[in-house]
Amino acid sequence: MLQQYDFYQSIQNKALSEHFLKAGDMLADEAEILGGAVRHLMAAGETINNKNIIATLIHSLECTDSVLSADVIRKTLEIVVDYTLDDI
């Protein structure tokens, strides 16, 4: 289970990672989606910032056929956007 949370250290926005860490199981599904986005960016050699996370989540949303997955991705996207500065 600890391995699941290793990606938080890679996120540049510490307020965002703290939000997910403090939420614990309440945002477990969203944390899984966020972790997948971060791992994807890491594998691609991209910077782990809110802009790239948002782009990755939008792409995931566009590619999913599952209504349930789309809802979790949307909620994750909403959280990331809430923690994004207006000038990014």
Side-chain angles (χ1 to χ4, degrees):
M1 187 121 185
L2 179 63
Q3 198 172 15
Q4 178 182 359
Y5 295 104
D6 287 345
F7 70 90
Y8 289 121
Q9 296 176 1
S10 302
I11 298 174
Q12 288 182 357
N13 184 333
K14 297 307 173 196
L16 176 62
S17 55
E18 281 292 317
H19 175 74
F20 275 91
L21 284 169
K22 288 181 181 178
D25 290 342
M26 288 177 31
L27 294 177
D29 292 339
E30 292 79 1
E32 186 175 329
I33 296 296
L34 179 62
V38 170
R39 285 187 290 278
H40 171 79
L41 291 169
M42 290 173 71
E46 297 288 333
T47 304
I48 314 300
N49 58 25
N50 287 19
K51 178 181 175 184
N52 289 342
I53 293 170
I54 290 168
T56 301
L57 291 173
I58 289 171
H59 179 72
S60 296
L61 188 58
E62 291 172 340
C63 293
T64 190
D65 292 330
S66 167
V67 174
L68 294 176
S69 292
D71 285 342
V72 176
I73 295 168
R74 273 190 214 97
K75 185 172 179 188
T76 307
L77 183 57
E78 181 180 311
I79 293 167
V80 175
V81 168
D82 284 346
Y83 278 87
T84 302
L85 300 174
D86 291 337
D87 61 340
I88 293 180

